[in-house]
Amino acid sequence: MKIAWLEDPNCQDVACVGGKVANLSRLAAAHRVPTGMCLTTAAYAAWLDSGGGAWPDALRDELATRYAEMAARCESEAPQVAVRSSAIDEDGQGASFAGQYETYLNIVGIEAVADAVSRCWASTRSEQVLEYRRQNGLPVDDVQIAVLVQQMVAADMAGVAFSANPINNNRGEVVINMSWGLGESIVGGTVTPDTYIVDKGDLAVKERQIAEKEKMTVAHPEGTREVDVPRFMRGEPTLDNDKAAEVAALARTLEEQMGWPVDIECAYHGETLYLLQCRPITTLD
């Protein structure tokens, strides 16, 4: 199996798809997870066997077929997708690999998708990744990687939520960081997001810190770009109490379902909340 849909049971095999994809696959049936497909470690091995440059014809044809199927699912001739690496030992209990491997957003068209996948595969040998693996006691030879190609949500606001407070280790609090646009401004540290602390029991907002959000990441014909937030929106809260409670409820449910405190990425498009990633919190005492 070289390419599998998220809902395929084979997509829950960590050895084939990595922790990031396996977690999402477990959750796709019960939660609003954008449609996606995974190029497994077998696809990576086939690419390596061909010299790690040009794609094997059969694999390239299979990707084109699956991308056409995704277009039908998304009701779009050329769907916008996010292309993310998923290493086999990523998103585990000890090391999350957050921000280490490559991610490409707003990729459109089969040629651009194939190129982004190739760059994800090539990133396994980057010095940044190899050093991170050394620091976490992980092998640096024979690294196995899968790649997730997933419909991109045109986010009005996006962020992360923790089902336990990673600052004070309070297991009864959900912490939410949210900003305008795509979540990359938060991940990249170029914006100070709003912070909400929500009681995990009754989902009441206990504390909120509304930041002056000056930048946001938006889709652009060449991928994404960071732009100025309109002045009237900068000091406005990204979430009202109902949305903060909805995000907190999602984090609480996922913690119960996965069996460990979770760190999730999520986004709103209009009034609809989407789950984008789910990983363990690795910093709790």
Side-chain angles (χ1 to χ4, degrees), residues 153-160 177-187 190-194 196 210-219 225-240 243 266-268 270-271:
V153 174
D156 298 305
M157 68 277 278
V160 297
N177 297 134
M178 191 71 59
S179 193
W180 301 119
L182 302 173
E184 298 310 298
S185 293
I186 295 178
V187 174
T190 59
V191 66
T192 300
D194 295 341
Y196 301 83
I210 307 304
E212 189 73 7
K213 300 167 289 294
E214 297 184 353
K215 299 287 185 180
M216 64 180 179
T217 303
V218 298
R225 67 177 179 181
E226 198 167 62
V227 300
D228 293 335
V229 173
R231 190 169 298 277
F232 76 93
M233 292 174 57
R234 293 180 184 180
E236 289 295 306
T238 46
L239 301 178
D240 58 23
K243 283 188 171 65
C266 57
Y268 272 98
E271 298 299 310

Side-chain angles (χ1 to χ4, degrees), residues 68-255:
E69 292 174 14
M70 179 175 284
R73 291 182 175 207
C74 300
E75 299 181 343
S76 168
E77 290 185 6
Q80 299 166 292
V81 299
V83 180
R84 304 179 188 274
S85 306
S86 179
I88 300 313
D89 38 16
E90 183 176 6
D91 287 355
Q93 298 290 336
S96 74
F97 280 85
Q100 297 301 313
Y101 289 106
E102 296 296 341
T103 293
Y104 299 97
L105 301 179
N106 197 33
I107 304 301
V108 181
I110 183 58
E111 297 299 334
V113 170
D115 180 64
V117 171
S118 295
R119 285 183 282 167
C120 285
W121 283 334
S123 72
T124 59
R125 306 310 301 169
S126 75
E127 188 52 42
Q128 171 182 300
V129 167
L130 295 178
E131 182 58 29
Y132 183 90
R133 296 183 68 86
R134 292 186 192 102
Q135 290 176 2
N136 284 275
L138 298 170
V140 296
D141 297 320
D142 194 29
V143 177
Q144 295 295 305
I145 194 168
V147 177
L148 176 64
V149 178
Q150 188 175 29
Q151 180 185 14
M152 198 177 90
V153 174
D156 298 305
M157 68 277 278
V160 297
F162 304 88
S163 67
N165 192 321
I167 305 301
N168 61 17
N169 296 295
N170 188 334
R171 303 297 180 100
E173 293 178 343
V174 176
V175 177
I176 304 167
N177 297 134
M178 191 71 59
S179 193
W180 301 119
L182 302 173
E184 298 310 298
S185 293
I186 295 178
V187 174
T190 59
V191 66
T192 300
D194 295 341
T195 298
Y196 301 83
I197 299 179
V198 182
D199 184 276
K200 193 187 287 184
D202 62 11
L203 301 179
V205 178
K206 299 169 60 175
E207 181 181 336
R208 74 188 71 220
Q209 299 172 7
I210 307 304
E212 189 73 7
K213 300 167 289 294
E214 297 184 353
K215 299 287 185 180
M216 64 180 179
T217 303
V218 298
H220 181 266
E222 297 181 357
T224 62
R225 67 177 179 181
E226 198 167 62
V227 300
D228 293 335
V229 173
R231 190 169 298 277
F232 76 93
M233 292 174 57
R234 293 180 184 180
E236 289 295 306
T238 46
L239 301 178
D240 58 23
N241 285 350
D242 289 343
K243 283 188 171 65
E246 184 179 24
V247 174
L250 176 61
R252 182 179 67 183
T253 297
L254 293 174
E255 177 179 278

